[in-house]
Amino acid sequence: MMIVMRNDNSNTRAAAKQATHERIVSVAARAIRRSGYGGTGVADIMKEAGLTHGAFYVHFASREAMLAEAASLACTESAAVVADVAAQAAPDQSWEAVLRTYLSQAHVAHAELGCPLAALGSETARQAPEVRRVTTQHIKGMVDLIARQSPDWGQAGAHERAMVTLSTMVGSLLLARAVDDPALSDSLREAALQQLLPAGRATNPEPESGA
């Protein structure tokens, strides 16, 4: 009986530690997209997670290790949104739905919940190898996802066109956030949609939430 109780206590502590770890990573995943890698400090993350600064090293070997996990979660969340949008749309409208969601006003306004490539791309080259590795894998995954959703999937050059499409999507979103002119911000998004959507479809209403 004593052995069973000790095992139960150990499992409970391990589960609690894992839940706390996941809470820290979730907070950090939003923070890096909101404030950038450079603007995300350990003390602020722990405070937002409701924990002491000293508890950080119970969960991570270094700040870089936390950032790598946060980047991985941000990438996973972003890819999941894109996949979910595509799955919920009619088969012949999935690609349009993905584009409209990604290049929406809501996505521009809520960087902390959206694509980490647009939120963090300019900083990533200066990050630790583990952070760059996570980003590299996400880019590869997004290129593959876009290629499979695109109308020319299976045709020669589809993969290369998917890379161009991703670059256009990310660059347009980044610039739309960078400017202080709302009209220009909208024009940047709409110009990208005009180029990426099938002819005659770029004037349809956009969705309410971003990817």
Side-chain angles (χ1 to χ4, degrees):
M1 180 63 67
M2 292 292 291
I3 294 175
V4 172
M5 290 178 64
R6 282 198 295 269
N7 286 342
D8 287 346
N9 289 338
S10 177
N11 290 340
T12 299
R13 287 195 297 270
K17 181 179 179 181
Q18 181 61 29
T20 299
H21 186 96
E22 291 174 359
R23 183 165 80 251
I24 297 170
V25 174
S26 180
V27 168
R30 291 195 177 200
I32 58 175
R33 285 175 283 183
R34 179 180 64 241
S35 304
Y37 289 118
T40 301
V42 169
D44 292 334
I45 294 301
M46 297 304 284
K47 181 178 179 180
E48 188 174 343
L51 300 163
T52 64
H53 189 174
F56 175 81
Y57 290 101
V58 174
H59 296 274
F60 305 96
S62 64
R63 176 175 176 272
E64 288 69 27
M66 177 192 71
L67 293 180
E69 286 197 44
S72 180
L73 178 60
C75 291
T76 298
E77 290 175 344
S78 180
V81 169
V82 172
D84 188 55
V85 168
Q88 291 189 35
D92 63 340
Q93 297 176 355
S94 61
W95 175 231
E96 179 177 348
V98 167
L99 284 173
R100 290 191 179 282
T101 300
Y102 191 95
L103 292 170
S104 65
Q105 289 179 332
H107 198 185
V108 171
H110 297 289
E112 75 279 5
L113 300 175
C115 175
L117 300 179
L120 298 162
S122 61
E123 292 185 63
T124 303
R126 298 186 291 276
Q127 300 309 304
E130 54 265 44
V131 175
R132 297 187 67 189
R133 191 173 305 116
V134 166
T135 304
T136 299
Q137 291 304 312
H138 180 57
I139 291 172
K140 290 178 178 179
M142 286 299 295
V143 168
D144 184 59
L145 189 153
I146 290 170
R148 286 185 281 109
Q149 293 298 329
S150 298
D152 60 354
W153 168 240
Q155 300 178 21
H159 188 266
E160 288 74 15
R161 283 189 288 276
M163 288 193 285
V164 173
T165 296
L166 179 62
S167 299
T168 302
M169 292 166 63
V170 172
S172 299
L173 184 62
L174 189 155
L175 294 177
R177 287 176 177 161
V179 300
D180 64 356
D181 181 342
L184 176 57
S185 179
D186 286 343
S187 293
L188 288 163
R189 293 186 305 102
E190 290 164 4
L193 282 170
Q194 188 72 41
Q195 293 299 313
L196 297 175
L197 283 172
R201 303 298 293 272
T203 57
N204 289 351
E206 65 175 33
E208 295 181 356
S209 60

